[in-house]
Amino acid sequence: MRIDVLTLFPEMFEGVFSSSILGKASEKGIVTLNTVNFREYSENKHSTVDDYPYGGGGGMVLKPEPVFSAVEDLLSDGGSEEDSPRIILMCPQGETFTQAKAEELSRQRRLILICGHYEGYDERIRRYLVTDELSIGDYVLTGGEIPAMAVIDSVVRLLPGVLGNEQSAVTDSFSTGLLEYPHYTRPPKFRDWEVPEVLLSGHHGNIAQWRRKQALYRTWKRRPDLLKNRSPDKLEEQWLKEFEQGQFPD
Ligand code: SAM
């Protein structure tokens, strides 16, 4: 996969792209991460990329020319139809980013993310350039850089070969449609708090069942909205009834 990020602050990505899972994925050649400072595509001598909004009002607006030119330059390196990238505008008005969206994007060969700044984008960028608009939540940040980092991290960790078995994403919260079950490690007793006996039993079937019930309970308690589109099997139906009746697992 190749990911290009259009930003006015490429230095913000240096640490993130070279550390932890993203750093390792780049080193292994699984992903190529690249930043483009679209100020370099400004057509005026002061290198400005923003201008006053037509109609007046506060705040500056990102001009269309530098953003279009930077994307078109990236696309001019050819590539097959298959490589035709998703062009993603980071934007609080976009579709809310989810694990399902991360999974969908992880199946693409190429992504281009556009980070805004200032009050907004010239609407022609939104209408005629991008394929997706993504928001990381209902709050407003100063720029699209931190949202872009969140999206890139969650996509790259899903690429085959990026996570080892010990960090598998398969049971991560949301991947299964549920929040993840609780974890414990040594010691078996810390202060007065003991690890649930079943986890020390070595009985794989019972452990799997305990985890499943815990994941369902945690989701029911914290994020019941996630259960709305779920078709529970018989066992889950029975557990959900128990929770409704106030019978909770330890
Ligand atoms: N005036 C804009 C509005 O009300 O929609 C907000 C602009 S915000 C200060 C500047 C930039 O930060 C946006 O263009 C976008 O790139 C980024 N941004 C801010 N919050 C975001 C969010 N929740 N998700 C994704 N990007 C966000």
Side-chain angles (χ1 to χ4, degrees), residues 173-201:
S173 296
F174 311 111
S175 298
T176 57
L178 299 175
L179 300 182
E180 199 176 32
Y181 50 79
H183 295 282
Y184 291 88
T185 185
R186 282 181 286 194
K189 185 170 179 187
F190 170 65
R191 300 193 178 160
D192 271 345
W193 307 305
E194 291 182 9
V195 172
E197 224 175 282
V198 61
L199 295 179
L200 308 175
S201 69

Side-chain angles (χ1 to χ4, degrees), residues 1-170:
M1 176 181 269
R2 173 173 170 155
I3 304 179
D4 295 287
V5 186
L6 267 62
T7 170
L8 296 172
F9 301 93
E11 66 281 2
M12 285 178 73
F13 290 84
E14 283 166 16
V16 172
F17 280 179
S18 58
S19 312
S20 184
I21 291 293
L22 289 183
K24 284 197 191 122
S26 301
E27 265 173 36
K28 286 188 195 167
I30 298 170
V31 67
T32 302
L33 300 167
N34 177 43
T35 53
V36 176
N37 188 341
F38 59 91
R39 191 177 294 286
E40 288 164 14
Y41 290 84
S42 167
E43 288 171 1
N44 64 59
K45 65 175 190 289
H46 302 294
S47 297
T48 51
V49 290
D50 57 326
D51 209 337
Y52 294 99
Y54 278 123
M60 301 297 276
V61 175
L62 265 183
K63 290 163 70 60
E65 305 94 319
V67 179
F68 270 81
S69 299
V71 170
E72 283 159 5
D73 198 18
L74 283 171
L75 298 183
S76 68
D77 64 5
S80 64
E81 213 27 30
E82 251 192 350
D83 290 336
S84 70
R86 296 283 278 273
I87 303 174
I88 302 168
L89 195 68
M90 303 314 304
C91 156
Q93 302 170 22
E95 170 189 350
T96 305
F97 187 58
T98 59
Q99 188 67 19
K101 191 74 181 179
E103 280 163 18
E104 184 202 325
L105 294 179
S106 74
R107 292 189 285 273
Q108 304 295 313
R109 299 278 289 275
R110 191 160 179 198
L111 306 176
I112 297 177
L113 279 70
I114 303 172
C115 303
H117 235 81
Y118 314 114
E119 185 62 20
Y121 300 101
D122 183 286
E123 189 65 12
R124 287 162 290 192
I125 296 173
R126 198 188 296 281
R127 288 182 114 174
Y128 305 116
L129 184 65
V130 306
T131 59
D132 301 72
E133 294 183 34
L134 284 184
S135 163
I136 60 160
D138 290 348
Y139 43 85
V140 176
L141 295 153
T142 308
E145 285 73 17
I146 292 170
M149 289 172 198
V151 169
I152 293 168
D153 185 88
S154 63
V155 169
V156 171
R157 68 198 301 284
L158 295 173
L159 299 178
V162 170
L163 294 186
N165 263 348
E166 72 281 7
Q167 297 160 305
S168 164
V170 178

Side-chain angles (χ1 to χ4, degrees), residues 178-182 196 208-220 239 243 248-250:
L178 299 175
L179 300 182
E180 199 176 32
Y181 50 79
Q209 177 111 330
W210 180 87
R211 287 180 166 165
R212 211 179 135 197
K213 190 169 185 180
Q214 288 284 342
L216 186 69
Y217 174 58
R218 188 159 273 206
T219 311
W220 175 84
W239 287 340
F243 306 157
F248 307 132
D250 295 333

